[in-house]
Amino acid sequence: MDEKVLKPITEVSYLTAANVGRYRGILRYFYTQYERLHHYLFPEEVLSYLRQSMFFQDYTEEQLQQDLNQLVEWKNLIPRQDTTRVTSVEEFKKKKFRYQCTPYTVEIERMVQGLEEMGDSFGGSLERTLFDRLLNSLIKLLAYRSDSSHQHRKIYGVEDMSDEELYALWQELYDNFRKLTEGATDYLAHLQSEKVEEMMMTEAFLSYKDAVTDYLRNFMTALQHTSFRIENLLADAPDQLIQLITTRLADYELKIPRLDERPPKESLIERFFGQWQDLTTWFLGDESGESDLIYLQNVTNETIRRITRFAQRIGERHHILKSRRQDYLFLADWFARCDTLEEAHEISASVFGVFHTRHLFSGGKATEDIYAEIWDEEPTEVTIKPRVRRYREKTKPGAIKSLQQEKQQTLTAYLKEREAEQKLVAGIVQQNQIVLADLPLVDPYIRKTLLRWIGKSMTHQERMAKTETGRKFRLITVDDQEITLRAEDGNLVMPNFVIQFLE
């Protein structure tokens, strides 16, 4: 017997621990996000998801951190310090982590979910033929022909099938879909693991680079050839046909002799309809976001780019470390066969370039024409300064001009403008308050001033603030109705506010 069989598996401890509900809720979310190719999660994401459930309404951030630490100790999660959003040394010392579920945890959660749904096993590969098989099954399931007796009625192919044939076709369709999604997710997650990334940095990876890249590209080609047809079939599938298919599948399921208690028909219909919804959502998406097919395409393309980058870096590193000994020996033999020194100088200039050259640059190009000759352009005059340490350019002393009169005029104009604006604001104050709903057509400056006061008061807990002149006021909301503040440059729809001055 192997020694591994006798060792305890600490990764399954969370299934029987005291706080099993909290641990299972956390790891189930990690597993579902892993299936969606989202491998690293922050504690804030986990807490936000858990609080959506009625069972975690009182769940605190401290409890979550304790549970995450415990799951790390049980080897269910792998912490990794996040340095992408660090802006200071203090934040780096706080060691903010993001977490990834371990392969053991993924397999355990997949097994538990399989026990819950009585599913089958999975495989980690990118099988191109699964798209073609999936497309053929959909064509058989949704095929129809026109009824000669009723011109507007469609006769679907499933109506000519027996319940057993329909059940077998459905199982074939959903099995291919499950193999496709689970296999692609597992294989791409394998390529994104740390162990594989470490192997990609070695020179031995170069021999596998072309095979892996071709494998991924062939998968993408098959996906692009068939995905559009599958999406069109799913989008055009009528709801009446899906209802008919799920009902017949539930009837056939109930006809199978079983010794245990049979589930109700509505439950079976709901299960088959949920499988159809999973298939549709994976290809077409829903209102909550893009389809998983788009995720798969993006991740596959990113994996191809990452593999290419790793191979390029290895090639560059190999090229840098490559010995140039043979090249130098070839050049030395070339120089040795020269008959004259002048011929050796010409070879040297061709191989190593011209020695002791001076590069002169002045101004910019007068034209962007790539075919223009330098002799056709106007010459540029450059004044060369003496390279003497004590050299200084000659300057003429200038008189200091007094701008006191211009400053006084500007200040006077500014004060007059402020005084006129204050008069405009004072003109809309009635009984020590400003009722925005009763204001006539106002100047744009008044509208900007009112909005500035409203913004100041919104930051205060009691909605109180001060004007530029020091007057204290409070913002009051009259009711839930909206009003229109009319100005010379347009109208503004806003809440029904009243600005009440306190002194």
Side-chain angles (χ1 to χ4, degrees), residues 10-61:
T10 58
E11 287 85 350
V12 298
S13 301
Y14 74 95
L15 295 175
T16 57
N19 297 322
V20 59
R22 286 155 51 174
Y23 298 138
R24 290 199 60 186
I26 294 172
L27 292 183
R28 179 54 59 92
Y29 181 64
F30 272 88
Y31 171 72
T32 55
Q33 294 302 304
Y34 170 85
E35 291 291 300
R36 294 181 61 86
L37 309 179
H38 188 191
H39 301 106
Y40 297 98
L41 299 178
F42 291 97
E44 297 84 5
E45 300 176 67
V46 181
L47 184 62
S48 176
Y49 168 78
L50 293 177
R51 284 182 175 173
Q52 297 176 7
S53 173
M54 58 178 295
F55 302 106
F56 294 87
Q57 293 296 322
D58 301 327
Y59 195 52
T60 63
E61 187 176 358

Side-chain angles (χ1 to χ4, degrees), residues 276-315:
W276 176 262
Q277 285 295 108
D278 294 340
L279 176 63
T280 305
T281 304
W282 198 87
F283 278 96
L284 302 179
D286 53 17
E287 61 277 0
S288 62
E290 294 180 338
S291 64
D292 290 340
L293 178 65
I294 302 299
Y295 283 110
L296 181 60
Q297 290 178 342
N298 295 337
V299 173
T300 306
N301 289 330
E302 180 60 30
T303 303
I304 294 175
R305 286 193 291 267
R306 192 173 75 255
I307 291 174
T308 306
R309 285 197 301 268
F310 279 125
Q312 182 180 2
R313 292 173 186 173
I314 295 173

Side-chain angles (χ1 to χ4, degrees), residues 196-339:
V196 174
E197 287 188 358
E198 292 176 357
M199 295 177 59
M200 289 182 181
M201 297 179 184
T202 61
E203 295 187 4
F205 171 71
L206 291 176
S207 59
Y208 298 99
K209 187 263 297 183
D210 293 335
V212 176
T213 305
D214 292 341
Y215 185 65
L216 294 174
R217 286 175 177 165
N218 293 334
F219 175 76
M220 285 296 299
T221 303
L223 183 150
Q224 293 171 354
H225 283 171
T226 57
S227 62
F228 293 108
R229 297 183 62 187
I230 294 176
E231 290 174 6
N232 292 333
L233 288 173
L234 294 175
D236 297 337
D239 296 336
Q240 299 84 352
L241 176 61
I242 304 304
Q243 185 65 32
L244 172 64
I245 292 174
T246 54
T247 303
R248 289 183 57 185
L249 291 173
D251 292 335
Y252 180 80
E253 187 85 17
L254 293 174
K255 291 179 183 179
I256 300 176
R258 300 184 186 279
L259 299 178
D260 55 353
E261 183 180 358
R262 296 184 178 182
K265 181 178 179 180
E266 292 75 12
S267 177
L268 294 175
I269 293 177
E270 184 178 356
R271 190 187 76 186
F272 290 121
F273 186 76
Q275 293 176 354
W276 176 262
Q277 285 295 108
D278 294 340
L279 176 63
T280 305
T281 304
W282 198 87
F283 278 96
L284 302 179
D286 53 17
E287 61 277 0
S288 62
E290 294 180 338
S291 64
D292 290 340
L293 178 65
I294 302 299
Y295 283 110
L296 181 60
Q297 290 178 342
N298 295 337
V299 173
T300 306
N301 289 330
E302 180 60 30
T303 303
I304 294 175
R305 286 193 291 267
R306 192 173 75 255
I307 291 174
T308 306
R309 285 197 301 268
F310 279 125
Q312 182 180 2
R313 292 173 186 173
I314 295 173
E316 291 176 352
R317 184 175 58 191
H318 182 72
H319 179 72
I320 293 173
L321 299 178
K322 181 181 178 181
S323 175
R324 303 295 299 273
R325 183 171 181 271
Q326 295 298 328
D327 298 339
Y328 292 142
L329 289 175
F330 177 79
L331 289 176
D333 181 67
W334 201 359
F335 279 101
R337 292 199 303 267
C338 293
D339 296 331

Side-chain angles (χ1 to χ4, degrees), residues 359-364 378-386 391 393:
H359 302 276
L360 302 178
F361 173 79
S362 175
E378 295 292 331
T380 303
E381 295 183 0
V382 180
T383 302
I384 301 176
K385 299 178 182 180
Y391 171 77
E393 293 186 14

